[in-house]
Each structure stands twice: as structure tokens, then as C-alpha cells.
Amino acid sequence: MDSVTQAVLGAGIQGAMLGRFQGRRALIYGAALATVPDLDVLMRYPDPVSLMTYHRGFSHSIFVLTGLALFLTWLIRKYWPQAPYGGRRLFLTLWLVLVTHPVLDAFTVYGTQLFWPWASIPESWSAIFIIDPIYTVPLLLGVLFAIAVGMTGLARRLLTVALIFSTAYLGFGLAGRIAAENRVRDAMQQQGIAVTELRAVSTPFNTLVWRVIAKTSDGNYYEAVSSLFDRGQPEWLRQPLNLDLARALADVPLHERLRWFTDNWLRYDAIGGALVVTDLRMGMAGHYTFRFKMAERAPDGSWKPVTPSAWPSERGGWAEMKLVLSRIFHEQPPLPLAEWSTLSLK
């Protein structure tokens, strides 16, 4: 999630749990501590694939953050033994402020290594977009109210209500994702399309209209769109994965790491003399967020792996955003998926 959301979540938790003792300082402490896991962005990596796949790594591990919470609790109790709250309450507060950061990140599609150093596939629950005002605004308003009036009983209750609402909203998003996946899977089965893998991803700023990607055994995938309010069938577009090109990257370590990180939701395209690998999980047809040049065509026509570099991608703008948001309530006209998809070949 974005930094503002993480900060107000941490501020809300610490304010609700320790605001009675720390006053407005609880909001500052919580906001600052909640940003600690994202300090890994200060690390430098030699290529964009490493940057992408090592972010949300060790600094987002619940094991590392639990150890940090224990250390901070010991440190605070050692140097401020007169604090009017117990060690258990302090530890629980610090632990929640730290651990809710990566757990919230895991509700997005990016991928969070919650259980580092275990090499499990990063958690990617796809229940919420990286920026969602319905999640963030209640927390922000609660924190601003507490700043304005102080950590009164009313302020702490409002923070608690905002935390409960935001948590319930995550559950709503997860239920929406499952409903969208079931809707698209059932519609494709009715059309005789044999789906081997499928997952839904929230579209920007909402949990009402969903993008669903589905793989088939013939080496293709479908881009589908489904809204919570749809009455008709979801629209979709069939696209090639071009898996034959993946053979050129066999045994390339960074390619294998990218496959692991994305759970193999990758597409391959030969664009001019470049072999471009696309992460299908983020973005939409023709507007993918992460694309990498990973090989170049040699004079003999073969592919030569190279150090990955970022490949330009068309992210879209307000015009595309308006179409997506209007799709929440209106099935017609459908999104121009076929037109957008041509942008992937540039």
C-alpha cells in the first residue's frame, strides 16, 4: 500500500492502544514505526528485476518484525521503566504497528514475503488496489480528528471504529475477488473454455470492478472484466503467452526468480530485437506495470540473455481511468480491451 495509508494505519493502532498514556505523541510514534518496513527501498540493486523481487523481502518478514518488536519493547522498558503501561501492552502495540504493514501489503497483488527466509511464493491476496480511498480516508479522518482534539476517549473510540471498518473492508475486497473469479470461471466453462489457472485483481481505487486473468492449456490467457453489479456475462479477450520464447531464458537466474515471484504469471513478446517479459498481474491489457527486456536477438537470429532493463509501458491516464470506473455500474459499452492490447507490442 501507499506510504500515507501505512502511516495512518500505524498511527491509528498506536493511538487506539497507547494514546491514553502517550497523547498525540502516540500518533507520531505509530506513523513513524509503521514506515520502517519500507526502508528497504533505500537499498540499491543492479537491475529492475532484482529491485522488484527483493522489495517487500526481509524487512516485511513477520519473523524479523516480531524480533524487532521484542527488541524495541526491551529497549523502551529498560530506559523508560516509569512508563504507565505494561510490557505486554507495549509489545502488542509495537508488534501490531509493525506486522500490519506487511499484512496489508499482502492484500495487494504485488507480492510480500511474509515468511522470509522461507522461500515460499510471496503472499499476493489481490483483495485491494495499492491506493484505495475507501480504506484510507476513514483512518486519515480519525487520525486528523485525534490530532485536532487530542487523544480523548472519543478520539480513541473513533480510531478503533476506523480500524474495524478498514479491516472489514479488506474482507469485503477478498470476498469480491472470489466472487469475480467464480463468475468468470463459470462463464468460461459455459463457453467450453478449459481454464488451468485463474486469478482476479482489483482495478484502481475500488473493489467493485475486477480484472480477471485466466490461463488455458493451449498456451494462451484471457483478460476478463467483471463488476459486482453485472447482470450479463463478463467480457474477455484472448491473448498469447508466447511460451516458446521463454525457452531462450531457460536457466537464467533472474528469469527464474521473476517466475517465482509472480507465480509464473508472465507473458513473452518479441518486440523488434528485444525479448520483453511482462508481469501480467499488475495493470490491464496493454497497460502493464512491470515489463523487462531480458534478451536481445543475435545476428544468427538466436536470443542472447542480457542484464534486465525496464521496458517502457503505457500506464494509461485519466481517460482510461474514467472508462474503468464507469464500468462499475455500466456493462455497455465494454472496455476496449482489444484496442488497448495492441499497446503491448510497442
Side-chain angles (χ1 to χ4, degrees), residues 24-48:
R24 290 184 177 91
R25 290 175 300 162
L27 303 173
I28 300 172
Y29 297 156
L33 187 60
T35 63
V36 167
D38 274 344
L39 292 180
D40 65 340
V41 299
L42 300 178
M43 302 179 69
R44 294 291 179 261
Y45 296 97
D47 61 86

Side-chain angles (χ1 to χ4, degrees), residues 299-317:
D300 62 1
S302 63
W303 291 105
K304 177 184 178 182
V306 296
T307 301
S309 58
W311 188 260
S313 60
E314 176 57 57
R315 301 285 182 93

Side-chain angles (χ1 to χ4, degrees), residues 33 62-76 87 90-99:
L33 187 60
I62 59 174
F63 305 121
V64 172
L65 295 177
T66 298
L68 178 58
L70 285 169
F71 172 73
L72 291 175
T73 300
W74 170 82
L75 194 65
I76 292 169
L90 175 62
F91 168 74
L92 181 60
T93 301
L94 300 179
W95 184 79
L96 285 173
V97 170
L98 287 167
V99 169

Side-chain angles (χ1 to χ4, degrees), residues 95-246:
W95 184 79
L96 285 173
V97 170
L98 287 167
V99 169
T100 53
H101 178 125
V103 169
L104 180 57
D105 278 346
F107 275 94
T108 69
V109 71
Y110 185 94
T112 305
Q113 298 171 56
L114 282 181
F115 306 108
W116 184 95
W118 290 347
S120 59
I121 294 172
E123 302 301 316
S124 173
W125 303 331
S126 306
I128 190 173
F129 190 66
I130 191 171
I131 300 174
D132 192 317
I134 297 178
Y135 181 91
T136 305
V137 169
L139 289 170
L140 178 60
L141 292 177
V143 169
L144 291 176
F145 180 82
I147 292 173
V149 305
M151 293 306 303
T152 63
L154 175 59
R156 296 197 305 274
R157 287 193 294 273
L158 287 177
L159 287 175
T160 301
V161 170
L163 289 166
I164 293 172
F165 175 84
S166 63
T167 302
Y169 183 68
L170 293 177
F172 175 80
L174 195 59
R177 171 197 164 184
I178 294 171
E181 289 176 346
N182 290 337
R183 175 189 289 270
V184 171
R185 183 184 289 107
D186 292 344
M188 288 187 170
Q189 286 179 347
Q190 293 174 12
Q191 297 294 323
I193 300 172
V195 174
T196 57
E197 294 181 69
L198 178 145
R199 72 177 304 170
V201 181
S202 57
T203 56
F205 313 128
N206 78 98
T207 53
L208 297 175
V209 60
W210 294 81
R211 167 183 175 251
V212 182
I213 45 178
K215 291 182 183 179
T216 54
S217 58
D218 60 359
N220 295 293
Y221 74 101
Y222 286 79
E223 289 264 3
V225 176
S226 175
S227 169
L228 177 66
F229 301 106
D230 280 356
R231 294 180 178 272
Q233 296 291 340
E235 69 249 38
W236 57 62
L237 175 71
R238 184 170 179 261
Q239 293 278 278
L241 290 170
N242 301 318
L243 296 178
D244 55 311
L245 293 173

